[in-house]
Amino acid sequence: KYKHYPYYFCRQRGCSQKGKTIARDKLELTFRSHLSELEPPKPLVEMAAAMFRDCWEQQAAKSASATKARKQEAAKVQQHIDQLLDRIVEASSASVVQAYEKKIDELERQRLLLLEQAEKPAQSRYTFDELFELSLKFLGNPCKIWDSERLELRRIVLKLAFAGHLEYCRETGSLNSKKSLPFIVLGGNSVR
């Protein structure tokens, strides 16, 4: 008489079950089992983590080679500037000297830009583990995050695990949903 019994209401327009209720515990138990079906096999998660790590390392190598190429280009520009300075010393016409000085200014700006880009490579200030640890844990076991019972984390699980709204069928007692792309790719157990 004095206990609370939480329920979910159907608010879908045009649904034959609109306004009817379903016990929270029954629905959440069904959802929990549905969510556990999303869990991909551990070898697939490990393989995905290895693939992400390889991509991360390839991007870091590209960034390092781009930095090296910019430094080499800056050195070539400096050589060109030195050549133009030698020609200025030999030049006798004021208009030729002025043209050389203009070209040297342009090359100096280009060299400084290349050096600045080389000093600020496009690398992340975080490591792979710092950035992807939680994502990989979520992909490996979304139920663990759901079980934390924090509302904001549960909302995140709903948004990340399913591509659309969940639909519950009272007659069959099943949830209908579409998996999100990461779970489709990882190929967890079959969920429509």
Side-chain angles (χ1 to χ4, degrees), residues 15-54:
C15 179
S16 64
Q17 303 296 316
K18 184 177 184 208
K20 297 189 178 173
T21 61
I22 183 79
R24 181 188 70 181
D25 294 339
K26 181 179 179 182
L27 184 63
E28 287 186 0
L29 183 64
T30 304
F31 174 77
R32 176 70 168 76
S33 68
H34 191 66
L35 189 62
S36 67
E37 291 175 359
L38 289 178
E39 186 176 326
K42 188 170 181 145
L44 278 178
V45 175
E46 291 170 355
M47 183 176 68
M51 289 170 56
F52 286 138
R53 186 176 297 279
D54 287 345

Coordinates of all heavy atoms in Angstrom, one line a residue, residues 15-54:
C15 N -0.3 4.5 -31.4 CA 0.0 3.1 -30.9 C -1.2 2.6 -30.2 O -1.9 3.3 -29.5 CB 1.2 3.2 -30.0 SG 1.7 1.6 -29.3
S16 N -1.4 1.3 -30.4 CA -2.6 0.6 -29.7 C -2.4 0.6 -28.2 O -3.3 0.4 -27.5 CB -2.8 -0.8 -30.3 OG -1.7 -1.6 -30.0
Q17 N -1.1 0.7 -27.8 CA -0.8 0.6 -26.3 C -0.6 2.0 -25.7 O -0.2 2.0 -24.5 CB 0.5 -0.2 -26.2 CG 0.5 -1.6 -26.8 CD -0.5 -2.5 -26.1 OE1 -0.6 -2.5 -24.9 NE2 -1.3 -3.2 -26.9
K18 N -1.0 3.0 -26.4 CA -0.8 4.4 -25.9 C -1.6 4.5 -24.5 O -2.7 4.2 -24.4 CB -1.3 5.4 -26.9 CG -1.0 6.8 -26.3 CD -1.4 7.9 -27.3 CE -1.0 9.2 -26.7 NZ -1.8 10.3 -27.1
G19 N -0.9 5.1 -23.6 CA -1.5 5.3 -22.2 C -1.3 4.1 -21.3 O -1.6 4.3 -20.1
K20 N -0.9 3.0 -21.8 CA -0.8 1.8 -21.0 C 0.6 1.8 -20.4 O 1.5 2.4 -20.8 CB -1.0 0.5 -21.8 CG -2.5 0.5 -22.3 CD -2.8 -0.8 -22.9 CE -4.3 -0.7 -23.3 NZ -4.7 -1.9 -24.0
T21 N 0.7 1.1 -19.3 CA 2.0 1.1 -18.5 C 2.7 -0.3 -18.6 O 2.1 -1.3 -18.9 CB 1.7 1.4 -17.1 OG1 0.9 0.4 -16.5 CG2 1.1 2.8 -16.9
I22 N 4.0 -0.2 -18.3 CA 4.8 -1.5 -18.1 C 5.7 -1.2 -16.9 O 6.2 -0.2 -16.7 CB 5.6 -1.8 -19.4 CG1 6.4 -3.1 -19.3 CG2 6.6 -0.6 -19.7 CD1 5.6 -4.3 -19.5
A23 N 5.8 -2.2 -16.1 CA 6.6 -2.1 -14.9 C 8.1 -1.8 -15.3 O 8.6 -2.4 -16.2 CB 6.5 -3.4 -14.1
R24 N 8.7 -0.9 -14.5 CA 10.0 -0.5 -14.8 C 11.0 -1.6 -14.7 O 11.9 -1.8 -15.6 CB 10.5 0.6 -13.8 CG 11.9 1.1 -14.1 CD 12.4 2.0 -13.1 NE 12.6 1.3 -11.8 CZ 13.1 1.9 -10.7 NH1 13.3 3.1 -10.6 NH2 13.2 1.1 -9.6
D25 N 10.9 -2.4 -13.7 CA 11.8 -3.5 -13.5 C 11.8 -4.5 -14.6 O 12.8 -5.0 -15.1 CB 11.5 -4.3 -12.2 CG 11.8 -3.4 -10.9 OD1 12.5 -2.4 -11.1 OD2 11.2 -3.7 -9.9
K26 N 10.6 -4.8 -15.1 CA 10.4 -5.7 -16.3 C 11.1 -5.2 -17.5 O 11.8 -5.8 -18.2 CB 9.0 -6.0 -16.5 CG 8.7 -7.0 -17.6 CD 7.2 -7.2 -17.8 CE 7.0 -8.2 -18.9 NZ 5.6 -8.4 -19.2
L27 N 10.8 -3.9 -17.8 CA 11.3 -3.3 -19.0 C 12.9 -3.1 -18.9 O 13.6 -3.4 -19.9 CB 10.7 -1.9 -19.2 CG 11.1 -1.1 -20.4 CD1 10.7 -1.9 -21.7 CD2 10.5 0.2 -20.5
E28 N 13.4 -2.7 -17.7 CA 14.8 -2.5 -17.6 C 15.6 -3.8 -17.6 O 16.7 -3.9 -18.1 CB 15.1 -1.7 -16.4 CG 14.8 -0.2 -16.5 CD 15.2 0.6 -15.4 OE1 15.8 0.2 -14.4 OE2 14.9 1.9 -15.5
L29 N 14.9 -4.9 -17.1 CA 15.6 -6.2 -17.2 C 15.7 -6.7 -18.7 O 16.7 -7.2 -19.1 CB 14.8 -7.2 -16.4 CG 15.3 -8.7 -16.4 CD1 16.7 -8.6 -15.7 CD2 14.4 -9.6 -15.7
T30 N 14.6 -6.4 -19.5 CA 14.6 -6.7 -20.9 C 15.7 -5.9 -21.6 O 16.4 -6.4 -22.4 CB 13.2 -6.5 -21.5 OG1 12.3 -7.2 -20.8 CG2 13.2 -6.8 -23.0
F31 N 15.8 -4.6 -21.2 CA 16.8 -3.7 -21.9 C 18.2 -4.2 -21.5 O 19.1 -4.2 -22.4 CB 16.6 -2.3 -21.4 CG 17.7 -1.4 -21.9 CD1 17.7 -1.0 -23.2 CD2 18.7 -1.0 -21.1 CE1 18.7 -0.1 -23.7 CE2 19.7 -0.2 -21.5 CZ 19.7 0.2 -22.8
R32 N 18.4 -4.6 -20.3 CA 19.7 -5.0 -19.8 C 20.2 -6.2 -20.6 O 21.3 -6.3 -21.0 CB 19.7 -5.3 -18.3 CG 21.0 -5.9 -17.7 CD 22.0 -4.8 -17.7 NE 23.2 -5.2 -16.9 CZ 24.1 -6.0 -17.3 NH1 24.0 -6.6 -18.4 NH2 25.1 -6.2 -16.5
S33 N 19.2 -7.2 -20.8 CA 19.6 -8.4 -21.6 C 19.9 -8.0 -23.1 O 20.7 -8.5 -23.7 CB 18.5 -9.4 -21.5 OG 17.3 -9.0 -22.1
H34 N 19.1 -7.0 -23.6 CA 19.3 -6.5 -24.9 C 20.6 -5.9 -25.1 O 21.3 -6.0 -26.1 CB 18.1 -5.6 -25.2 CG 18.0 -5.2 -26.7 ND1 17.7 -6.0 -27.7 CD2 18.2 -4.0 -27.3 CE1 17.7 -5.4 -28.8 NE2 18.0 -4.1 -28.6
L35 N 21.0 -5.1 -24.1 CA 22.3 -4.4 -24.1 C 23.5 -5.4 -24.0 O 24.5 -5.2 -24.7 CB 22.3 -3.4 -23.0 CG 23.5 -2.4 -22.9 CD1 23.5 -1.5 -24.2 CD2 23.4 -1.5 -21.7
S36 N 23.3 -6.4 -23.2 CA 24.3 -7.4 -23.1 C 24.6 -8.2 -24.4 O 25.7 -8.7 -24.7 CB 24.1 -8.4 -22.0 OG 22.9 -9.2 -22.3
E37 N 23.5 -8.2 -25.3 CA 23.7 -8.9 -26.6 C 24.6 -8.1 -27.5 O 25.1 -8.6 -28.5 CB 22.3 -9.1 -27.2 CG 21.5 -10.1 -26.5 CD 20.1 -10.2 -27.2 OE1 19.8 -9.4 -28.1 OE2 19.3 -11.0 -26.7
L38 N 24.7 -6.8 -27.2 CA 25.6 -5.9 -28.0 C 27.0 -6.2 -27.8 O 27.9 -5.9 -28.7 CB 25.3 -4.4 -27.8 CG 24.0 -3.9 -28.2 CD1 23.9 -2.4 -27.8 CD2 23.8 -4.0 -29.7
E39 N 27.4 -6.7 -26.7 CA 28.8 -6.9 -26.4 C 29.5 -7.8 -27.4 O 29.1 -9.0 -27.6 CB 28.9 -7.6 -25.0 CG 30.3 -7.6 -24.5 CD 30.3 -8.2 -23.0 OE1 29.4 -7.9 -22.3 OE2 31.3 -8.9 -22.7
P40 N 30.5 -7.2 -28.1 CA 31.2 -8.0 -29.1 C 32.2 -9.0 -28.5 O 32.5 -8.8 -27.3 CB 31.9 -7.0 -29.9 CG 32.0 -5.8 -29.0 CD 30.9 -5.9 -28.1
P41 N 32.6 -10.0 -29.2 CA 33.6 -10.9 -28.7 C 34.9 -10.1 -28.3 O 35.3 -9.2 -29.1 CB 33.8 -11.9 -29.8 CG 32.6 -11.8 -30.7 CD 32.1 -10.4 -30.5
K42 N 35.5 -10.6 -27.3 CA 36.7 -9.9 -26.8 C 37.8 -9.8 -27.9 O 38.5 -8.7 -28.0 CB 37.3 -10.5 -25.6 CG 38.4 -9.8 -24.9 CD 38.7 -10.3 -23.6 CE 39.8 -9.4 -23.0 NZ 39.7 -9.3 -21.6
P43 N 38.1 -10.8 -28.7 CA 39.1 -10.7 -29.7 C 38.8 -9.6 -30.8 O 39.7 -9.0 -31.2 CB 39.1 -12.1 -30.4 CG 38.5 -13.0 -29.4 CD 37.6 -12.2 -28.6
L44 N 37.5 -9.4 -31.0 CA 37.2 -8.3 -32.0 C 37.5 -6.9 -31.4 O 38.0 -6.0 -32.1 CB 35.7 -8.4 -32.3 CG 35.3 -9.3 -33.4 CD1 33.8 -9.3 -33.7 CD2 36.0 -9.0 -34.7
V45 N 37.2 -6.8 -30.1 CA 37.5 -5.5 -29.5 C 39.0 -5.3 -29.4 O 39.5 -4.2 -29.7 CB 36.9 -5.4 -28.0 CG1 37.3 -4.2 -27.3 CG2 35.4 -5.5 -28.1
E46 N 39.8 -6.3 -29.1 CA 41.2 -6.2 -29.1 C 41.8 -5.9 -30.5 O 42.7 -5.1 -30.7 CB 41.8 -7.5 -28.6 CG 41.6 -7.7 -27.1 CD 42.0 -9.1 -26.6 OE1 42.4 -9.9 -27.4 OE2 41.9 -9.3 -25.4
M47 N 41.2 -6.5 -31.5 CA 41.6 -6.2 -32.9 C 41.3 -4.8 -33.3 O 42.1 -4.1 -33.9 CB 40.9 -7.2 -33.9 CG 41.4 -7.0 -35.3 SD 40.7 -8.2 -36.5 CE 39.0 -7.7 -36.4
A48 N 40.1 -4.3 -32.9 CA 39.8 -2.9 -33.2 C 40.7 -2.0 -32.5 O 41.2 -1.0 -33.0 CB 38.3 -2.6 -32.8
A49 N 41.1 -2.3 -31.2 CA 42.0 -1.4 -30.5 C 43.4 -1.4 -31.2 O 44.0 -0.4 -31.3 CB 42.2 -1.9 -29.1
A50 N 43.8 -2.6 -31.7 CA 45.1 -2.7 -32.4 C 45.0 -1.9 -33.7 O 46.0 -1.2 -34.1 CB 45.4 -4.1 -32.7
M51 N 43.9 -1.9 -34.4 CA 43.7 -1.1 -35.6 C 43.8 0.4 -35.3 O 44.4 1.1 -36.0 CB 42.4 -1.5 -36.3 CG 42.5 -2.9 -36.9 SD 40.9 -3.5 -37.5 CE 40.4 -2.2 -38.6
F52 N 43.1 0.8 -34.3 CA 43.1 2.2 -33.9 C 44.5 2.6 -33.5 O 45.0 3.7 -33.9 CB 42.2 2.5 -32.7 CG 40.7 2.5 -33.1 CD1 39.8 1.9 -32.2 CD2 40.2 3.1 -34.2 CE1 38.4 1.8 -32.6 CE2 38.9 3.1 -34.6 CZ 38.0 2.4 -33.7
R53 N 45.2 1.8 -32.8 CA 46.6 2.1 -32.4 C 47.5 2.2 -33.6 O 48.3 3.2 -33.7 CB 47.2 1.1 -31.4 CG 48.5 1.5 -30.9 CD 49.0 0.5 -29.9 NE 48.2 0.4 -28.7 CZ 48.2 1.2 -27.7 NH1 49.0 2.3 -27.7 NH2 47.4 1.1 -26.6
D54 N 47.3 1.3 -34.6 CA 48.1 1.4 -35.8 C 47.8 2.7 -36.6 O 48.8 3.4 -37.1 CB 47.8 0.2 -36.8 CG 48.4 -1.1 -36.3 OD1 49.3 -1.0 -35.4 OD2 48.0 -2.1 -36.8

